[in-house]
Amino acid sequence: KRIHGLTPFQELVDAAPAGSTLRPTPGLYAGPVHLAKPLIIDGGDKVTIDGGDKGTVFVIDTNDATVRGLHLRGSGSSHDTDDACLNVRGHRNLIESLVIDDCLFGIDLKQSNNNIVRGNRIRSKPLDLGVRGDAIRLWYSMNNRVESNEISDSRDTVAWYSNGNVFSKNKTIHSRYALHFMFAGHNVVDSNYYYDDSVGIYLMYTDGMEVRNNVISHSTGA
């Protein structure tokens, strides 16, 4: 009911030529959105896309796109389908200045390389800590930059089987694992601030890591 009657944002995406810049009229739009061509989408911090509490709100399924200045909210609540605000399934994309809330997972990269995830604010659904989704998740994703993001009240930021990534200048509070690596090597963790999380930085089955200049405070473990 919350999104009934709203303009589907997909209509704007479909009408925009590949390689162009889409600057939507400020306002509230309905998801879901599937971006399958390189576009620059700039919401100017005045555009909200609501998924109506079903599925994933926005999917980047292309290379060389930019998505910035949007408010994404209202994913579904299923861990079986990894309902998220933003799925990234491509390479060399720029994701910046998004506000993400009321979503199970925040930004989920799978087999996606050389992307930049920068300056986003991410919060999960108001669920018990163990059943919230991850704020940012990398799975078999290489050489990405995750920087200057603000995360709160989510579960983990996690990298699985993902090498050569840089995590820098991020802030995570009131979450579970501020940063968790599994079978992920040669990543750089630099100048992050982690406060009041259950665990600060957790490395499992990793090698070649650089962890430097981070602040971990009021965490149960590190």
Side-chain angles (χ1 to χ4, degrees):
K1 292 182 180 180
R2 189 174 68 234
I3 66 172
H4 180 72
L6 296 178
T7 299
F9 197 84
Q10 187 68 48
E11 293 181 358
L12 281 65
V13 170
D14 291 344
S20 67
T21 298
L22 172 59
R23 292 187 174 88
T25 301
L28 179 60
Y29 296 85
V33 182
H34 183 212
L35 177 60
K37 57 189 171 185
L39 285 180
I40 297 173
I41 300 177
D42 190 342
D45 302 322
K46 296 179 181 179
V47 170
T48 296
I49 303 172
D50 194 325
D53 299 327
K54 183 178 180 180
T56 289
V57 180
F58 200 116
V59 178
I60 298 176
D61 190 15
T62 187
N63 305 324
D64 303 303
T66 295
V67 178
R68 70 162 62 96
L70 301 175
H71 177 196
L72 305 179
R73 73 184 189 195
S75 80
S77 300
S78 173
H79 283 268
D80 291 336
T81 53
D82 293 338
D83 292 344
C85 258
L86 180 62
N87 284 346
V88 181
R89 305 293 185 262
H91 313 306
R92 301 181 304 277
N93 297 291
L94 172 60
I95 300 107
E96 66 176 352
S97 302
L98 304 182
V99 175
I100 289 175
D101 55 34
D102 190 28
C103 283
L104 188 64
F105 290 84
I107 300 175
D108 185 20
L109 288 80
K110 289 184 179 176
Q111 296 178 305
S112 298
N113 307 325
N114 300 106
N115 298 283
I116 298 174
V117 179
R118 180 172 65 203
N120 305 289
R121 289 185 287 151
I122 304 170
R123 182 191 299 263
S124 185
K125 285 184 175 290
L127 303 169
D128 291 340
L129 182 60
V131 294
R132 297 173 195 164
D134 300 322
I136 300 174
R137 180 171 62 179
L138 279 64
W139 187 85
Y140 284 101
S141 295
M142 317 300 176
N143 304 315
N144 299 283
R145 297 190 64 88
V146 179
E147 56 192 24
S148 302
N149 300 285
E150 296 186 8
I151 297 165
S152 64
D153 302 295
S154 295
R155 187 172 64 178
D156 306 340
T157 292
V158 61
W160 289 72
Y161 309 101
S162 298
N163 305 323
N165 300 286
V166 176
F167 297 81
S168 68
K169 299 180 182 178
N170 301 290
K171 178 180 179 181
T172 299
I173 63 172
H174 310 315
S175 298
R176 189 177 69 171
Y177 291 83
L179 187 54
H180 183 193
F181 294 96
M182 284 281 290
F183 301 101
H186 303 280
N187 295 284
V188 175
V189 183
D190 184 23
S191 301
N192 301 281
Y193 177 81
Y194 300 139
Y195 177 84
D196 196 24
D197 305 298
S198 298
V199 176
I201 303 171
Y202 193 43
L203 292 83
M204 293 185 66
Y205 310 110
T206 65
D207 58 15
M209 300 288 291
E210 296 183 37
V211 181
R212 58 181 182 248
N213 303 321
N214 301 285
V215 175
I216 302 171
S217 178
H218 294 77
S219 295
T220 304

